[in-house]
Amino acid sequence: IGHAIEAASNFRIRHGIAVAKGIAFETYLVWSMGFITKQQLDKTFSLLNLYGYNLEINRNIRKFTKIDKKVKNKKICICVPVWKISS
């Protein structure tokens, strides 16, 4: 999603910031699909916020995700964060 965010911003958003926004976006998606808990979602956003990232994204990134290098058979592939909770 980071590459799509870069493209949607006409490359005004730097790569590292676009990747952080992509992490936030994909984490929100997998939370909304029930793959992670709200606690895991909040932890991800808390960590990204520690670095002061503006996590807002342009709503028209969808058209850019369709031409991203991770599109397979016309389906958008996203990363699913895996959490290991230690005691």
Side-chain angles (χ1 to χ4, degrees):
I1 301 293
H3 295 105
I5 292 169
E6 282 180 294
S9 76
N10 201 22
F11 299 93
R12 289 185 304 270
I13 296 175
R14 295 182 313 213
H15 180 73
I17 294 171
V19 169
K21 288 174 181 271
I23 290 169
F25 184 76
E26 290 179 358
T27 303
Y28 177 80
L29 285 178
V30 298
W31 169 75
S32 69
M33 294 186 291
F35 291 111
I36 63 172
T37 66
K38 178 76 162 85
Q39 180 183 14
Q40 293 165 323
L41 173 71
D42 292 343
K43 177 77 171 182
T44 301
F45 275 78
S46 292
L47 290 170
L48 292 170
N49 284 324
L50 282 175
Y51 294 96
Y53 291 126
N54 172 353
L55 301 178
E56 292 178 26
I57 57 171
N58 186 325
R59 289 185 173 256
N60 70 2
I61 66 162
R62 185 175 177 150
K63 70 179 179 179
F64 292 98
T65 60
K66 292 179 181 180
I67 58 172
D68 188 80
K69 66 182 180 179
K70 293 180 189 78
V71 171
K72 305 286 186 227
N73 298 321
K74 298 184 180 181
K75 293 184 180 181
I76 300 167
C77 300
I78 65 167
C79 299
V80 176
V82 177
W83 283 81
K84 179 180 178 185
I85 300 176
S86 59
S87 53

